[in-house]
Amino acid sequence: MNIFRLVVTSLVSVFVSCSSGPLSSNLATSFDYYGDTVLLSDTVALANLLLEIESGSDSVYGTFSAPITSICQKKGCWMDLDLGNRQNATVRFMDYGFFVPMNVVGERAIVCGSITIDTLNVDWLRHKAHDAGDNDSVIALITEDEVSYSIIATGVALKQIGENIETTILNDTHNHESE
């Protein structure tokens, strides 16, 4: 296991040293991967991807980083990211095939996936608010659909916080596959 971590850390150092932006200062940082492995050297400025969407593209695929503002507290099956433009994006995971830890709000996620502009209906927004732990009075204030950025991630990389960070998957009926 220690040899594996050494190899992963070495490879990450090589990928990170080739990237630009805030990742280049983290040469010795190790990452945990969820879904497909994210090639850190493919990371581009989020603003460039958003500009493509705003210029009329239906969907843009890319790898970018952004701070996590909220995570599903039932399973880790969605997260919201701060896009840096006074907007958030909801990230869901390809084919409901992986989840992220529920205790990494405030951390920076490196996400590989497809970005679109989507209309989130009231039912989904209320469900999401419930998952995030909002109380009933906050949930009741959600009365209109919301047009926002939506991301279907194929992979997520998170900086390792500790040796034993794990995603807790609850054996309940919490499921967003059909949403």
Side-chain angles (χ1 to χ4, degrees):
M1 184 69 168
N2 288 336
I3 292 174
F4 176 73
R5 276 209 192 270
L6 179 62
V7 169
V8 169
T9 301
S10 298
L11 289 173
V12 167
S13 295
V14 168
F15 292 142
V16 170
S17 66
C18 295
S19 67
S20 62
L23 298 177
S24 61
S25 63
N26 297 326
L27 294 179
T29 302
S30 295
F31 290 85
D32 287 320
Y33 294 91
Y34 304 89
D36 293 343
T37 300
V38 176
L39 187 58
L40 301 177
S41 62
D42 287 347
T43 303
V44 298
L46 178 57
N48 293 344
L49 298 174
L50 297 178
L51 186 58
E52 281 187 56
I53 290 287
E54 291 166 5
S55 296
S57 295
D58 290 336
S59 174
V60 176
Y61 191 86
T63 301
F64 62 92
S65 70
I68 301 169
T69 59
S70 184
I71 295 177
C72 171
Q73 293 300 297
K74 302 285 184 187
K75 262 188 170 173
C77 57
W78 58 262
M79 66 181 172
D80 282 344
L81 301 177
D82 178 357
L83 300 181
N85 59 358
R86 294 190 207 139
Q87 294 184 357
N88 283 335
T90 297
V91 180
R92 294 182 243 189
F93 308 110
M94 179 66 80
D95 298 327
Y96 204 65
F98 62 97
F99 309 108
V100 296
M102 296 176 286
N103 63 343
V104 292
V105 170
E107 297 295 324
R108 183 166 284 276
I110 303 169
V111 178
C112 182
S114 180
I115 305 170
T116 60
I117 295 178
D118 195 9
T119 300
L120 305 176
N121 68 41
V122 170
D123 289 338
W124 164 250
L125 293 170
R126 286 181 174 174
H127 181 87
K128 193 173 115 178
H130 180 264
D131 285 356
D134 289 344
N135 63 43
D136 290 341
S137 61
V138 171
I139 293 170
L141 295 174
I142 300 170
T143 59
E144 295 182 13
D145 294 349
E146 179 181 298
V147 176
S148 71
Y149 293 99
S150 183
I151 300 164
I152 300 297
T154 57
V156 174
L158 297 171
K159 184 174 76 171
Q160 289 180 350
I161 299 172
E163 292 292 318
N164 296 317
I165 191 168
E166 293 181 10
T167 302
T168 304
I169 298 175
L170 303 176
N171 293 321
D172 66 0
T173 59
H174 186 78
N175 187 337
H176 298 291
E177 286 186 88
S178 61
E179 298 178 50

